[in-house]
Amino acid sequence: MGRLGIIAASGTLPLELAHAARLQGERPFIICLNGQADQDYSAFENVSFAPGKLKAVTAALLEKSCNRLLLAGKFTRPSLSDLKLDSAGAALLGRLALKGDDKALRLVSEHFAQAQIKILPNTDFLPNRILPNNYHFGRAITPTEGAALTLGVNVLSQLGALDVGQAVIVQQDRVLAIEAAEGTQGLIARAAPLIDASADAAVFVKMAKTQQDKMLDIPVIGIATLKSLAEAGISVAGVTAGQTMLADPLEAIEAELSVHGLVLTTLLESSCKPSGIAEHAE
């Protein structure tokens, strides 16, 4: 069996995956993306490349006999002017330009597959980071909040095939914002001024898109998102059971929830129907 490679963007998840893989007998080789990776990978064999150096990245993985690959961390798309493309990066860019996240990731996956490198789901190495059915932490959800969660699920279900985004913010029966190219943090910042503090709590819903490849881009929620929700005045978060990965250990997530008085609840795993919304206290 060949070696495991990890392409690391920002956040602690790539480093945690590297440690978990090592415990499973792997010798992970880390590709740090310049301007993205922000952890200390000195305990592992690693190199750094600009995001546009696709040919160099692929060559480095093959040189180290990597035939399996994890894509981990929060990747922020650089502007075209900031990209330093090699020939493979330039060739792929023409196909990637202005694509949605799902289509872009599939094209990247196809590129590595042609080099006999298979992208694996991060959950293969951190299976305990998946929220199960009926997970609920915090106070009970009010009927109005439950209805808002249902509306959020329905909105994302309708948009899922369009490769728009994974998240939506709803207050009562009003959709405040839908995630687009700005990502989850940008979505929360954009919605914050629209929240009516005198009304029932606004809710945040995040779920996999209809056509999303869960191996390439499973929805992730972590402490950074929870802090942003609290700062924006959003107290309830609903995520897909069995299809949402925690960016941080559950104990740390629950500590953050407690500090801010937030609610985290799961939606029905198979279809995200409204009946899957947990409405009981922890």
Side-chain angles (χ1 to χ4, degrees), residues 135-151:
Y135 176 84
H136 185 95
F137 188 95
R139 62 171 174 77
I141 294 172
T142 69
T144 303
E145 292 163 350
L149 287 170
T150 298
L151 176 57

Side-chain angles (χ1 to χ4, degrees), residues 151-152 155-156 159 164-171 174-180 182-195 202-206 234:
L151 176 57
V155 168
L156 291 175
L159 291 174
V164 175
Q166 299 177 338
V168 65
I169 294 171
V170 179
Q171 188 170 31
R174 183 185 180 200
V175 176
L176 300 184
I178 298 169
E179 181 185 10
E182 81 275 55
T184 299
Q185 299 292 70
L187 161 73
I188 296 170
R190 179 160 51 87
L194 305 175
I195 294 171
V203 307
F204 168 85
V205 179
K206 187 166 190 174
I234 300 168

Side-chain angles (χ1 to χ4, degrees), residues 33-36 49-54 57 75-76 78 83-85:
L33 296 180
N34 291 337
Q36 308 266 348
F49 291 106
K53 300 295 185 182
L54 188 58
V57 167
F75 179 76
T76 303
L83 280 174
K84 296 180 175 62
L85 299 170

Side-chain angles (χ1 to χ4, degrees), residues 23-255:
L23 289 175
Q24 296 181 37
E26 300 282 355
R27 292 185 304 114
F29 174 60
I30 316 298
I31 302 283
C32 300
L33 296 180
N34 291 337
Q36 308 266 348
D38 54 8
Q39 302 297 304
D40 180 6
Y41 293 98
S42 59
F44 301 89
E45 187 176 6
N46 70 88
V47 294
S48 297
F49 291 106
K53 300 295 185 182
L54 188 58
K55 182 177 181 180
V57 167
T58 307
L61 290 168
L62 293 175
E63 181 183 354
K64 299 298 180 179
S65 301
C66 296
N67 64 354
R68 292 162 299 131
L69 180 64
L70 301 177
L71 307 178
K74 174 62 177 176
F75 179 76
T76 303
R77 287 197 188 193
S79 65
L80 294 179
S81 61
D82 290 336
L83 280 174
K84 296 180 175 62
L85 299 170
D86 59 19
S87 58
L92 187 61
L93 179 64
R95 302 175 66 200
L96 285 176
L98 301 181
K99 295 287 188 183
D101 289 344
D102 290 349
K103 294 183 180 68
L105 283 169
R106 286 192 179 94
L107 289 173
V108 170
S109 178
E110 290 171 6
H111 166 82
F112 285 114
Q114 290 172 1
Q116 306 301 310
I117 300 172
K118 182 180 181 181
I119 297 178
L120 302 178
N122 294 337
T123 52
D124 280 5
F125 295 92
L126 289 174
N128 60 332
R129 292 291 184 86
I130 296 293
L131 281 179
N133 286 333
N134 299 320
Y135 176 84
H136 185 95
F137 188 95
R139 62 171 174 77
I141 294 172
T142 69
T144 303
E145 292 163 350
L149 287 170
T150 298
L151 176 57
V153 167
N154 289 337
V155 168
L156 291 175
S157 295
Q158 293 296 318
L159 291 174
L162 300 178
D163 195 7
V164 175
Q166 299 177 338
V168 65
I169 294 171
V170 179
Q171 188 170 31
Q172 294 185 338
D173 58 355
R174 183 185 180 200
V175 176
L176 300 184
I178 298 169
E179 181 185 10
E182 81 275 55
T184 299
Q185 299 292 70
L187 161 73
I188 296 170
R190 179 160 51 87
L194 305 175
I195 294 171
D196 183 351
S198 66
D200 284 331
V203 307
F204 168 85
V205 179
K206 187 166 190 174
M207 55 186 272
K209 289 172 276 189
T210 307
Q211 306 300 323
Q212 187 170 326
D213 188 330
K214 312 303 188 300
M215 291 183 63
L216 297 178
D217 186 26
I218 187 170
V220 177
I221 190 170
I223 288 175
T225 297
L226 297 178
K227 286 181 176 178
S228 295
L229 291 174
E231 291 171 0
I234 300 168
S235 60
V236 178
V239 298
T240 318
Q243 297 179 6
T244 301
M245 187 171 188
L246 300 177
D248 306 283
L250 181 59
E251 296 78 8
I253 292 285
E254 291 182 342

